Amino acid sequence: MEQKRYNSLFWKISLVFFLLLAIVGMAHVYISYNSSREYLEEVNQRINHDTAKNIIENSTPFYNGKVIKPALNEMFHHVMAINPNLEVYLVDPKGKIIAWFPPEKKLILESINVLPIKAFIADKKKSLIRGDDPLNPGTQKVFSAHPLTMNNMLYAYIYVVLNGEKKQAESDTLFTSYLWQISYRTMGITLFFTFLIGLLIIRTITKNYSKILNVMQRFREGDLHARINLDSLSSEKQLAEMFNEMADILTTNIDKLKEVENLRRELIANVSHDLRTPIAIIRGYLETLQIKEKTITDEERKRYIDMVSQSSVKLEKLVHELFELSKLEANQIRPNKEAFIISELVNDISSKYHLIAHNKKITIDTFLSKELAPVFADISLIERVIQNLLDNAIKFTPENGYISITTEKCLNNTVKITITDNGIGIPEKDRERIFARYYRANNYTDLKNSTGLGLAIAKKILDLHDSSLELISSENTGSSFIFKLKCS
């Protein structure tokens, strides 16, 4: 698959590159052809610049404003002796052709433009100047020209087309043959090596891009761990890094979606499981009340209603804690942090729990430092953490036991809060899963009001505060739960 994509990309780019080289080569041949032809014409005109002047110096075909036929014929024979390929025209000052050589040629134009002739005569730099070709209308050719004067009076111009039809045909044949030879040799070698070097460069580039395409294909097919690793420092490296960043973001989002989906499924499973017991109790006692409505005693009625009431309270608490934990795990709760004195919060909470602890004959002692800096946290969420830890301590502490709450300053600008009890402790084998959902100690039976979610909720809240919940426990001796909060 990778080799196929590589070959496809490589040959597509190679074909485009070859076509571009071919176009450039043809353009080069065309420009070279025109430039060479122009150069040869300029050379030819410079070499034969005085041809018309030399013709006039050897003969004078005018006398008293009239053409002398014998002198004209003599001039034409002289031209034939010099170069039979020349085309010579006798042109009056307005451009009308009076006579021409060779006479067998069929004249097409009866007059020509004299402006190029005047420019040629006036030009001292011997620049390239083209004029009309009387035998080929619309064609411009190099020429030589000279005025024919007598007694300072202009009678006519001698206009010599240097590349006659015969010479032009021979010149075109030879020049085209010469150009093709040059093109075959120089352009062929140049294009070959240019194309070869281009292929090497294209191969290097497409090799990196084929690797990128291969990783993208793997990612699309489900390999979410596929990443591009290139040593290049060019634009391919930037493209690879951008893909890797996007892949990381997509993978993270997919993991979050999976986590939310798992939480949803787990929530549904837990709700259906944990709600079944209190609902069954409520339904059972209500059905009993309906069946024994006329025979039940007042004492039994009161006991049944108390059981229904207790089950409904547990049901309400369970539903509340389930949704609270689910929101925390789905990151739907954001802490509203503010500065407050943690010792004051601990003192208020412990005061509220004194009555509950007193009913179970448990003592709650607080050891609160008065020199603590304010902590920066969500006061309602931290209150929930302390309440859950106290609930947990009271449940697992026997009668005549004690619970202590301590606040103290720590290093790294933090405050440590410790809640200790002398309860049943936690077996070593259970300590790793103590903060999991629905954990309940197997060696303690008085858990009818426990949902098993308190420690899991406390840990999630502390995670939002970049803190952790530590456990120090000894079986049948007690446990200590410790967490730290940053100072403001």
Side-chain angles (χ1 to χ4, degrees):
M1 180 71 71
E2 179 182 0
Q3 186 67 23
K4 184 177 180 181
R5 284 195 298 270
Y6 166 72
N7 289 336
S8 176
L9 180 63
F10 173 77
W11 288 115
K12 284 180 181 179
I13 298 178
S14 299
L15 178 60
V16 173
F17 181 65
F18 176 78
L19 293 176
L20 289 175
L21 282 180
I23 293 173
V24 171
M26 290 186 289
H28 178 76
V29 171
Y30 176 78
I31 295 172
S32 299
Y33 180 86
N34 289 328
S35 299
S36 299
R37 175 180 291 278
E38 186 174 308
Y39 173 74
L40 291 177
E41 288 181 347
E42 184 176 0
V43 171
N44 187 24
Q45 191 173 46
R46 286 193 177 190
I47 293 174
N48 297 285
H49 186 274
D50 295 333
T51 298
K53 180 179 179 182
N54 294 333
I55 292 174
I56 292 176
E57 288 179 350
N58 294 316
S59 60
T60 304
F62 271 88
Y63 182 75
N64 290 333
K66 295 181 180 180
V67 177
I68 303 174
K69 290 290 185 180
L72 183 63
N73 291 332
E74 182 182 353
M75 182 184 72
F76 286 157
H77 283 294
H78 178 67
V79 170
M80 184 180 295
I82 296 175
N83 188 347
N85 292 321
L86 296 177
E87 296 174 2
V88 183
Y89 300 90
L90 187 63
V91 182
D92 69 9
K94 294 183 179 180
K96 184 178 180 181
I97 299 174
I98 301 173
W100 65 92
F101 174 83
E104 68 272 11
K105 296 291 184 180
K106 185 178 180 181
L107 195 66
I108 304 300
L109 297 178
E110 294 182 356
S111 62
I112 61 174
N113 187 0
V114 296
L115 293 179
I117 297 176
K118 293 179 180 180
F120 179 86
I121 295 171
D123 182 45
K124 303 298 181 183
K125 297 181 179 180
K126 298 183 179 180
S127 303
L128 177 63
I129 301 175
R130 294 186 180 90
D132 294 335
D133 181 4
L135 301 180
N136 297 285
T139 303
Q140 297 285 305
K141 291 186 176 181
V142 291
F143 64 92
S144 174
H146 196 76
L148 200 157
T149 59
M150 187 175 294
N151 297 325
N152 295 325
M153 183 178 293
L154 177 63
Y155 285 93
Y157 295 106
I158 296 297
Y159 181 69
V160 181
V161 177
L162 300 177
N163 292 334
E165 286 184 324
K166 181 178 179 181
K167 184 178 179 181
Q168 182 70 36
E170 294 175 352
S171 175
D172 286 346
T173 301
L174 292 174
F175 184 73
T176 302
S177 176
Y178 167 77
L179 182 62
W180 278 114
Q181 291 179 13
I182 295 297
S183 299
Y184 281 132
R185 294 176 184 176
T186 60
M187 292 301 300
I189 294 173
T190 302
L191 291 177
F192 174 76
F193 284 104
T194 303
F195 185 65
L196 184 63
I197 295 172
L199 288 181
L200 294 175
I201 297 174
I202 292 171
R203 181 179 181 182
T204 302
I205 296 174
T206 54
K207 184 177 181 180
N208 288 334
Y209 279 108
S210 65
K211 187 174 182 180
I212 294 174
L213 290 175
N214 178 53
V215 175
M216 288 181 174
Q217 180 67 21
R218 286 167 51 200
F219 189 85
R220 187 179 69 175
E221 292 173 354
D223 184 2
L224 301 181
H225 299 289
R227 296 295 184 271
I228 302 170
N229 184 19
L230 293 180
D231 296 329
S232 172
L233 297 177
S234 58
S235 58
E236 305 98 271
K237 179 70 172 180
Q238 297 178 356
L239 179 61
E241 291 176 350
M242 291 175 62
F243 171 80
N244 290 339
E245 290 177 3
M246 290 188 292
D248 290 340
I249 294 173
L250 287 174
T251 303
T252 301
N253 291 338
I254 291 172
D255 291 339
K256 289 181 178 179
L257 289 175
K258 289 181 178 178
E259 183 179 356
V260 171
E261 177 63 18
N262 291 334
L263 289 174
R264 184 187 66 82
R265 293 178 179 178
E266 186 178 352
L267 175 62
I268 293 173
N270 291 334
V271 167
S272 62
H273 177 270
D274 289 350
L275 296 186
R276 187 180 297 116
T277 300
I279 290 175
I281 294 174
I282 294 172
R283 182 177 179 181
Y285 279 105
L286 288 177
E287 288 178 352
T288 301
L289 287 172
Q290 289 176 342
I291 294 172
K292 297 182 177 181
E293 180 180 2
K294 296 181 179 180
T295 61
I296 193 172
T297 65
D298 292 340
E299 182 180 353
E300 287 178 330
R301 187 188 306 275
K302 181 178 182 303
R303 184 164 57 86
Y304 290 168
I305 293 175
D306 287 342
M307 292 297 296
V308 170
S309 178
Q310 291 175 9
S311 297
S312 64
V313 170
K314 181 180 178 180
L315 182 62
E316 181 183 8
K317 182 178 180 181
L318 178 60
V319 171
H320 174 74
E321 291 191 349
L322 276 171
F323 280 102
E324 183 179 13
L325 181 58
S326 298
K327 287 181 179 180
L328 287 169
E329 290 179 335
N331 296 320
Q332 294 181 359
I333 295 179
R334 293 288 183 269
N336 183 19
K337 296 181 180 181
E338 58 182 308
F340 63 93
I341 304 298
I342 187 66
S343 295
E344 294 179 358
L345 177 64
V346 170
N347 188 57
D348 291 341
I349 296 174
S350 63
S351 298
K352 296 176 183 177
Y353 275 79
H354 272 302
L355 179 59
I356 300 174
H358 178 72
N359 293 335
K360 199 175 179 181
K361 299 180 181 179
I362 296 174
T363 302
I364 298 179
D365 294 324
T366 57
F367 303 92
L368 309 177
S369 175
K370 297 181 179 180
E371 298 179 354
L372 298 179
V375 297
F376 189 68
D378 188 314
I379 187 169
S380 61
L381 293 179
I382 298 303
E383 181 179 7
R384 182 78 164 116
V385 170
I386 298 174
Q387 287 176 346
N388 285 5
L389 294 178
L390 279 176
D391 285 337
N392 194 69
I394 291 174
K395 290 171 189 174
F396 294 98
T397 301
E399 290 185 356
N400 300 317
Y402 71 89
I403 299 172
S404 66
I405 308 174
T406 306
T407 60
E408 57 185 314
K409 183 178 181 181
C410 290
L411 300 176
N412 301 324
N413 196 30
T414 59
V415 172
K416 182 169 72 172
I417 300 93
T418 305
I419 298 178
T420 304
D421 64 69
N422 67 337
I424 63 174
I426 299 171
E428 186 175 355
K429 61 183 181 65
D430 294 334
R431 290 173 192 170
E432 292 184 358
R433 53 193 182 92
I434 185 67
F435 301 112
R437 280 185 173 196
Y438 307 107
Y439 170 81
R440 294 180 177 89
N442 295 326
N443 58 344
Y444 199 73
T445 58
D446 188 18
L447 295 174
K448 60 183 179 180
N449 293 322
S450 175
T451 62
L453 299 175
L455 291 180
I457 291 174
K459 185 178 183 302
K460 288 295 181 181
I461 291 175
L462 291 175
D463 287 342
L464 294 176
H465 289 80
D466 299 320
S467 182
S468 60
L469 186 56
E470 302 176 17
L471 168 65
I472 299 175
S473 183
S474 178
E475 194 170 359
N476 299 320
T477 301
S479 303
S480 294
F481 289 91
I482 306 166
F483 65 93
K484 298 176 182 179
L485 295 175
K486 295 180 181 179
C487 296
S488 60

